Amino acid sequence: MTLHANSDAVTAHSPTAAETGDRIEQVKISLAFLPLATPVSDAKVLTVRQKPLTEVAIIFAEIRTRDGFEGIGFSYSKRAGGQGIYAHAKEIADNLLGEDPNDIDKIYTKLLWAGASVGRSGMAVQTISPIDIALWDMKAKRARLPLAKLLGAHRDSVQCYNTSGGFLHKPLEQVLKNVVISRENGIGGIKIKVGQPNTAEDIRRLTAVRQALGDDFPLMVDANQQWDRETAIRMGRKMEAFNLVWIEEPLDAYDVEGHAALATALDTPIATGEMLTSFQEHEQLILGNACDFIQPDAPRVGGVTPFLKIMDLAAKHGNKLAPHFAMEVHLHLSAAYPIEPWLEHFEWLNPLFNEQLELRDGRMWVSDRPGLGFTISEQARRWTVQTYEFK
Ligand SMILES: [Mg+2]
């Protein structure tokens, strides 16, 4: 991997960024569609709110500076939104040209103002995400540190659990096989999907998985927002016996009060936050005491910059952290969280990158590669349908 074109820049006596006055010279935005091997269903599909998921839209940002430094970042969207994010990125990305790439907060504010008319959450900030992530990647590469180390890590590895083996389109027998495979591959926990219209079926699957894992192996469930308040408390009480690490998204993602009441009523911890799309939405969740585990998603909330603000607030309030999806970015962020976090293992994005994360002893390990530690694969280039370059 070439960190940057100018090899002089990595020597011990190389000039600092401040001395050279390095500036952003080129920004490339790409839209790719990552196909999934089989259509994927969670409870939202079984309650007929969504169609099975067949692909993930990926929006890459690749940023280069005059001195030859490079940063890559990505955002994503499931089902809809990828084309919209790409189109909005084309509208705002020229604001980066000529900026000092180290002034990430200044650039973030500039991009927010460029798109002020479409707000400070949702697609507006999901457009900034790949750019912001790329700038942090570049900053860490310039410092020749993994991003976790640049941020100030509390640990070199993060305990991680598998989600992809426990979706609802998979028959129970397959889920049980996946559980065994995950454990053999060194995974530290298993999460299965629940929230089906037939709650007895949820309990049947959960009972079988708990029996297969034994009483103490970390196990979580995820209802993907498909229970009303009454069902959530009934199911929560039934599930107390299963020694779960958490119950995820029992209620509508924006029901702060409902989550807070549930978290108070149950011994089992409550986790939520993956659907929220800004710092401000997470702030409401945290200040509303809505959950034990907060689950922000860096591409979804607007990148590393707002994610760090969420981490600060959550740590102050004693929340645990279990970021959603995008382990390639979240490994670094969760390594820098003061309270022992959980990382969600999703192998879906593996084909996009030339490098793979190391899973061992139930944990995902931060590599010694600088930045995020990833380069974009040829396969990702083949899945790319649109590219736009600013110079
Ligand atoms: Mg979830």
Side-chain angles (χ1 to χ4, degrees):
M1 172 184 149
T2 305
L3 284 185
H4 33 69
N6 182 355
S7 60
D8 291 339
V10 294
T11 64
H13 306 294
S14 60
T16 66
E19 283 165 349
T20 69
D22 195 16
R23 293 291 181 269
I24 295 172
E25 194 175 70
Q26 186 184 345
V27 183
K28 188 162 121 183
I29 305 290
S30 312
L31 174 64
F33 286 96
L34 164 76
L36 299 179
T38 44
V40 172
S41 297
D42 60 27
K44 299 190 292 291
V45 174
L46 274 77
T47 55
V48 207
R49 287 181 162 132
Q50 285 185 337
K51 293 177 185 169
L53 184 68
T54 56
E55 61 184 15
V56 181
I58 306 289
I59 302 87
F60 285 113
E62 294 163 81
I63 302 176
R64 286 181 66 89
T65 67
R66 189 200 61 205
D67 290 356
F69 285 90
E70 291 177 355
I72 65 163
F74 67 93
S75 189
Y76 74 93
S77 185
K78 295 171 179 172
R79 294 186 178 81
Q83 294 280 5
I85 293 171
Y86 176 74
H88 190 46
K90 277 173 64 179
E91 292 182 304
I92 63 171
D94 69 324
N95 285 285
L96 292 161
L97 298 178
E99 289 290 346
D100 181 339
N102 298 295
D103 294 342
I104 298 178
D105 224 48
K106 176 195 168 196
I107 294 171
Y108 203 96
T109 306
K110 190 178 181 187
L111 294 175
L112 270 182
W113 279 111
S117 181
V118 287
R120 295 183 189 179
S121 63
M123 274 176 56
V125 294
Q126 285 160 15
T127 303
I128 302 176
S129 291
I131 295 167
D132 180 76
I133 292 168
L135 291 173
W136 280 102
D137 178 48
M138 185 193 291
K139 193 167 205 166
K141 283 175 180 166
R142 193 187 292 273
R144 286 179 274 166
L145 292 170
L147 179 59
K149 296 280 184 190
L150 180 80
L151 298 173
H154 283 266
R155 55 193 72 77
D156 294 327
S157 65
V158 179
Q159 57 184 344
C160 78
Y161 69 94
N162 176 268
T163 292
S164 54
F167 274 92
L168 291 173
H169 63 279
K170 297 179 197 274
L172 179 58
E173 299 67 41
Q174 185 61 50
V175 172
L176 293 172
K177 277 183 198 161
N178 293 343
V179 162
V180 173
I181 293 168
S182 286
R183 280 185 83 162
E184 285 173 359
N185 289 340
I187 204 80
I190 296 287
K191 187 169 84 185
I192 65 163
K193 298 290 189 179
V194 294
Q196 303 179 77
N198 179 354
T199 54
E201 180 60 13
D202 282 344
I203 298 294
R204 186 180 80 87
R205 285 166 73 96
L206 178 56
T207 304
V209 172
R210 179 41 98 198
Q211 276 174 358
L213 287 173
D215 290 342
D216 298 325
F217 193 81
L219 174 63
M220 306 81 165
V221 299
D222 185 354
N224 287 99
Q225 313 179 67
Q226 296 310 296
W227 291 331
D228 56 26
R229 288 183 179 188
E230 184 191 332
T231 309
I233 189 68
R234 282 171 188 255
M235 289 299 280
R237 284 187 183 132
K238 278 186 191 163
M239 289 179 174
E240 297 270 41
F242 290 89
N243 189 28
L244 299 175
V245 180
W246 68 67
I247 298 172
E248 180 170 324
E249 286 200 309
L251 298 166
D252 182 277
Y254 287 87
D255 184 1
V256 172
E257 277 180 19
H259 278 102
L262 207 55
T264 302
L266 297 177
D267 289 341
T268 306
I270 298 298
T272 191
E274 68 173 70
M275 297 308 298
L276 303 185
T277 65
S278 66
F279 166 78
Q280 289 83 356
E281 291 173 9
H282 276 279
E283 186 180 35
Q284 287 177 16
L285 206 62
I286 295 164
L287 298 183
N289 300 310
C291 58
D292 303 282
F293 283 89
I294 190 148
Q295 302 187 289
D297 175 321
R300 219 171 238 177
V301 299
V304 170
T305 297
F307 195 103
L308 293 174
K309 291 174 181 166
I310 294 168
M311 277 172 51
D312 271 352
L313 187 66
K316 220 175 273 177
H317 284 256
N319 288 98
K320 293 181 181 176
L321 178 74
H324 168 252
F325 201 59
M327 63 181 181
E328 294 77 6
V329 180
H330 292 141
L331 172 60
H332 293 275
L333 293 167
S334 49
Y337 195 66
I339 307 166
E340 181 73 22
W342 274 100
L343 185 69
E344 182 167 38
H345 178 262
F346 251 108
E347 67 283 4
W348 291 2
L349 305 186
N350 287 357
L352 298 176
F353 305 107
N354 294 315
E355 302 79 9
Q356 303 300 322
L357 291 170
E358 186 191 356
L359 176 62
R360 179 167 42 87
D361 304 329
R363 305 177 74 85
M364 196 71 82
W365 294 77
V366 177
S367 83
D368 55 9
R369 297 187 298 271
L372 292 173
F374 289 99
T375 51
I376 299 172
S377 69
E378 283 308 310
Q379 178 64 73
R381 303 292 184 196
R382 285 194 287 276
W383 285 331
T384 299
V385 294
Q386 291 182 74
T387 298
Y388 199 90
E389 259 183 54
F390 298 87
K391 290 183 185 178

